[in-house]
């Protein structure tokens, strides 16, 4: 590990204080990132239908496209890493093959032997293609790049999915659990198949960890539940998930009419993207249709500002959540119904204003009841973003212990 690589976490902590995890405060950074993405990164309009066809014979995790990229954790701070933007095969929520983009990043530290790989799921960035993590990494404007960098300085390889429809054609299937979980797991498979990454120790034999917070907490938690059956060949050692929106119905009740109400319409657009039979547009009034267009094309700061204080009745002619088909769709996203195949580190702030603390507690109880080894960490007095910042280091430390094959029994009994 080079001295330059070791110095990175100091500046990273300062960056996180002003730009992280989809809060309005990060809008300025996102605006810069959007300009960078427009100038330097191909947008989905350049990847129209027919440019890539996964096909029935293409296995999940197969790389469809790769090109060199770069990684900065903040603007103007190049890192001693190698990076590639990839497009890889994955699976949609309805079981059909799709194509998802992402970024593979490895420390350029001279190591060629097998190193741990973290498949990292970001929190909410927005639904517009310009908001994708891969679009912001080269210019250092992806909000969670400092958190990713914290894994890189430990010598781990990291692959970050853009999720389905974020940076690729179609609407992003935001908060659709299976689509997000598949994207996270197939990103790990793709990284292991990447010939460039292989030169830096990314190997199918190396230990794998799953990690994510907020939306990424949900994606990583679902990936943990899916891994044993969907990707059993991965040498999965554990999952670190924080601020998990495990119960969307409970989260919706908490967010409606508040500062973060924009998340609700984002989730509705995401559910409709996975299941067009839900016919979201038929429920929206004029204001709802206007906001839906904002949701589909903009990043999270703009979306939250546009949706601030909105209630469901403000944007609909009738409440879709009163309909059985919508209720079934939301119920399918519940996390905690299956036992993950590897231990889990689960963390949540008890002052979380976005994802109720009780939702995290319930997920812990559900997994503990299934006999899973769960290490639960509560952050006293911490908000949603505060927990993301304070919880990142302990989560990586826990994953490092799993990579070293240290035993863990969890703390379900306390």
């Amino acid at each position: 590990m080079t001295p330059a690589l070791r110095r990175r976490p100091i500046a990273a902590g300062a960056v996180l204080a002003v730009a992280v995890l989809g809060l309005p405060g990060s809008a300025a950074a996102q605006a810069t990132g959007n300009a960078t993405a427009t100038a330097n990164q191909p947008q989905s309009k350049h990847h129209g239908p027919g440019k890539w066809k996964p096909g029935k014979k293409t296995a999940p995790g197969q790389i469809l496209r790769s090109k060199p990229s770069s990684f900065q954790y903040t603007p103007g701070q190049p890192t001693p890493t190698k990076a590639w933007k990839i497009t890889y095969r994955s699976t949609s929520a309805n079981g059909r093959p799709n194509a998802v983009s992402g970024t593979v990043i490895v420390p350029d530290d001279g190591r060629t032997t097998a190193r741990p790989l973290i498949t990292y799921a970001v929190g909410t960035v927005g639904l517009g293609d310009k908001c994708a993590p891969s679009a912001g990494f080269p210019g250092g404007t992806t909000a969670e790049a400092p958190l990713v960098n914290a894994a890189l300085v430990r010598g781990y390889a990291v692959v970050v999915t853009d999720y389905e429809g974020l940076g690729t054609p179609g609407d992003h299937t935001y908060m659709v659990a299976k689509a997000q979980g598949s994207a996270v797991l197939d990103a790990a498979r793709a990284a292991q198949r990447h010939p460039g990454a292989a030169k830096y120790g990314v190997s199918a034999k190396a230990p794998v960890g799953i990690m994510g917070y907020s939306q990424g907490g949900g994606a990583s938690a679902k990936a943990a539940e899916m891994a044993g059956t969907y990707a059993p060949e991965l040498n999965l050692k554990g999952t670190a998930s924080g601020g998990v929106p495990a119960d969307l119905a409970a989260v919706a009740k908490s967010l409606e009419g508040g500062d973060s109400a924009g998340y609700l319409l984002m989730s509705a657009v995401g559910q409709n993207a996975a299941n067009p039979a839900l016919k979201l547009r038929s429920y929206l009034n004029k204001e709802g249709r206007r906001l839906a267009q904002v949701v589909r094309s903009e990043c999270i700061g703009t979306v939250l500002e546009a949706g601030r204080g909105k209630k469901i009745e403000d944007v609909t002619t009738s409440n879709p959540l009163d309909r059985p088909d919508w209720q079934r769709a939301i119920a399918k996203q519940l996390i905690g119904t299956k036992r993950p195949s590897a231990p889990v580190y689960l963390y949540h702030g008890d002052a979380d204003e976005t994802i109720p603390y009780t939702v995290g507690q319930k997920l812990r109880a559900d997994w503990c009841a299934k006999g899973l080894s769960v290490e639960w960490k509560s952050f006293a007095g911490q908000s949603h973003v505060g927990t993301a910042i304070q919880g990142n280091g302990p989560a990586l430390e826990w994953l490092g212990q799993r990579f070293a094959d240290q035993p863990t029994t969890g703390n379900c009994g306390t």
Side-chain angles (χ1 to χ4, degrees), residues 310-325:
K310 297 289 186 183
K311 296 183 178 180
I312 294 176
E313 63 190 36
D314 296 331
V315 297
T316 62
T317 56
S318 62
N319 189 343
L321 296 182
D322 291 336
R323 300 286 301 179
D325 55 345

Side-chain angles (χ1 to χ4, degrees), residues 32 84 95 119 177 246 278 283 286 357:
T32 304
W84 299 267
T119 179
L278 292 173
Y283 294 94
K286 183 177 180 180
Y357 184 65

Side-chain angles (χ1 to χ4, degrees), residues 18 20-30 259-260 263 300-305 308 385:
V18 294
V20 74
L21 295 178
L23 287 193
S26 66
Q30 290 170 347
D259 288 346
S260 299
Y263 287 119
I300 185 59
T302 300
V303 172
L304 290 182
E305 186 61 33
R308 190 181 308 278
V385 170

Side-chain angles (χ1 to χ4, degrees), residues 92-111:
S92 68
N94 58 19
R96 295 177 181 174
N98 61 6
V100 177
S101 57
T103 305
V104 180
I105 315 163
V106 295
D108 189 5
D109 55 5
R111 178 174 175 176

Side-chain angles (χ1 to χ4, degrees), residues 87-127:
T87 303
Y88 60 94
R89 224 313 294 279
S90 191
T91 308
S92 68
N94 58 19
R96 295 177 181 174
N98 61 6
V100 177
S101 57
T103 305
V104 180
I105 315 163
V106 295
D108 189 5
D109 55 5
R111 178 174 175 176
T112 58
T113 56
R115 70 171 80 229
L117 169 68
I118 292 178
T119 179
Y120 188 96
V122 299
T124 303
V125 294
L127 273 63

Side-chain angles (χ1 to χ4, degrees), residues 239-261:
T239 299
S241 297
V244 180
D247 184 341
L248 295 190
V251 174
K253 290 179 181 178
S254 174
L255 293 178
E256 186 181 7
D259 288 346
S260 299

Side-chain angles (χ1 to χ4, degrees), residues 123-201:
T124 303
V125 294
L127 273 63
D129 287 344
K130 61 190 177 184
C131 317
S134 62
F137 282 145
T141 56
T142 295
E144 285 184 66
L147 303 184
V148 172
N149 191 62
L152 294 167
V153 300
R154 287 168 168 79
Y156 305 149
V158 182
V159 59
V160 184
T161 181
D162 288 336
Y163 302 122
E164 180 182 30
L166 187 56
T168 51
D171 284 338
H172 170 32
T173 47
Y174 179 71
M175 297 314 302
V176 177
K178 286 184 67 175
Q180 293 181 165
S182 297
V184 169
L185 294 169
D186 288 326
R189 287 167 155 166
Q192 291 179 341
R193 292 171 175 168
H194 197 283
K199 297 177 182 179
Y200 295 85

